[in-house]
Amino acid sequence: MRKCYTSIIFLLLSVTFYSCIREGTYKITGELGLPDQSVVTLWPDDNSHQIAGVTVADHKFQMKIEALDEGVYNLLISWKNPNRQAQILKNGSRLGTPDTLFSRTRIYLDPNSDYHITSPIKDISNVSIPTRTNLNPFPINVNTNSEATKELQSYLAVISRVTLVFQKKLDSLNFLATVAQAKDDMINYRKIMDEYEGLDDGFFKGEIFRAREAFIDRHKTSPVSAYLIATAPDLKDKRVYYQQAVRKLDAALQQNRYTIEAKRRLAIK
């Protein structure tokens, strides 16, 4: 009889362990217009270490990750720059275009979801490094049934639009400042530079907060909201809002690791 109980306990433990592994196992596939030996890697949100990596073969890749906590991760794609140019200066330093180009996106890995990566760019011969007006010359599409990833991608699209507007404002003010300086119009030059230097706090950070606030208020059942609170850079300045936002998150999210981290940072018991 004792043997029977032992066998049952072992079986239950095995089933539990297997279930945990299944919940933490993810598969990411992709089909990209990139040459063989291009590299796809997965990183945690803080980019502290590489979790997994595979090479592209016949324009495709497949990545399987096991025993990994669900959450937000960075997917980085890199390939050799087909238009790279280099020049060695007299002092021995190297001047030229980068040897490798990159594109990246974020995904929320959650159980029982599929992830397939594509890009509308099929010819990489004209893809360049990111610029102030073209932040993502090799855009990545994430085809998935993960609602959290869809929500995260929609939020990131808003942030990209805000960033682009910010960069254009900077460029415009920089141009006006150059014109004013050329005309020796120092009064206007100083006014323009004051606006330029205040654009980060006065426009960018405010717009980013409003985008984050709007998302969290509309998605109280989404783990992405918990993530945005836990990683908010303005947690101290906007403490009252974030404390209320954590309390309004759905009950099912209260044990989410991001909610727990948000409560720790906000000193909520």
Side-chain angles (χ1 to χ4, degrees):
M1 191 69 173
R2 189 166 181 170
K3 274 186 171 183
C4 182
Y5 282 135
T6 302
S7 299
I8 292 172
I9 291 170
F10 178 78
L11 178 61
L12 289 173
L13 288 173
S14 299
V15 170
T16 302
F17 179 75
Y18 179 68
S19 298
C20 290
I21 291 298
R22 286 188 65 193
E23 290 179 357
T25 299
Y26 310 91
K27 184 178 178 183
I28 306 171
T29 60
E31 191 164 357
L32 300 162
L34 294 175
D36 288 357
Q37 303 307 309
S38 299
V39 179
V40 182
T41 52
L42 186 73
W43 302 72
D45 188 52
D46 62 2
N47 292 315
S48 57
H49 63 284
Q50 181 178 314
I51 296 170
V54 295
T55 55
V56 173
D58 194 24
H59 306 298
K60 299 177 183 179
F61 74 89
Q62 180 173 305
M63 181 186 294
K64 186 177 182 182
I65 311 101
E66 297 184 345
L68 187 66
D69 290 339
E70 74 170 82
V72 176
Y73 293 89
N74 291 324
L75 192 70
L76 177 67
I77 299 172
S78 60
W79 64 96
K80 289 184 178 179
N81 183 358
N83 302 309
R84 61 185 181 276
Q85 298 175 354
Q87 179 183 359
I88 306 299
L89 303 181
K90 290 181 179 180
N91 61 6
S93 61
R94 183 179 181 279
L95 180 66
T97 55
D99 293 336
T100 305
L101 298 179
F102 301 88
S103 186
R104 69 189 69 213
T105 191
R106 290 183 193 174
I107 54 179
Y108 191 102
L109 292 180
D110 53 18
N112 306 314
S113 296
D114 299 317
Y115 304 85
H116 187 69
I117 309 302
T118 60
S119 176
I121 306 297
K122 302 305 178 186
D123 180 8
I124 65 166
S125 60
N126 294 320
V127 175
S128 62
I129 61 175
T131 64
R132 293 168 73 96
T133 55
N134 187 4
L135 302 174
N136 195 8
F138 190 85
I140 297 172
N141 296 329
V142 183
N143 306 293
T144 179
N145 58 348
S146 165
E147 288 302 318
T149 294
K150 292 176 184 177
E151 290 162 349
L152 177 60
Q153 291 282 310
S154 70
Y155 170 77
L156 293 176
V158 173
I159 297 304
S160 292
R161 289 194 292 270
V162 170
T163 303
L164 184 59
V165 171
F166 173 64
Q167 296 288 8
K168 288 182 175 180
K169 284 179 177 288
L170 286 176
D171 290 345
S172 177
L173 289 172
N174 186 57
F175 173 77
L176 293 174
T178 302
V179 172
Q181 191 175 35
K183 294 180 178 180
D184 201 24
D185 185 356
M186 300 313 293
I187 294 177
N188 276 327
Y189 174 78
R190 283 191 289 271
K191 287 181 180 178
I192 294 167
M193 289 308 297
D194 285 344
E195 185 178 353
Y196 182 95
E197 291 168 1
L199 205 57
D200 186 40
D201 289 328
F203 171 79
F204 186 66
K205 289 180 181 178
E207 288 298 309
I208 293 295
F209 170 73
R210 281 185 280 277
R212 190 185 301 115
E213 179 186 34
F215 181 93
I216 293 169
D217 290 348
R218 288 197 308 266
H219 298 86
K220 296 181 177 63
T221 63
S222 173
V224 177
S225 292
Y227 162 77
L228 293 178
I229 299 171
T231 59
D234 55 356
L235 208 63
K236 183 178 179 180
D237 296 335
K238 306 289 185 180
R239 180 176 295 274
V240 173
Y241 166 74
Y242 288 120
Q243 286 176 332
Q244 294 174 346
V246 167
R247 294 188 177 102
K248 292 178 181 179
L249 290 177
D250 189 80
L253 287 175
Q254 294 306 311
Q255 296 306 312
N256 179 280
R257 68 186 178 104
Y258 293 123
T259 305
I260 294 171
E261 174 61 14
K263 288 180 177 179
R264 184 194 69 78
R265 290 188 66 198
L266 290 163
I268 296 175
K269 295 182 179 180

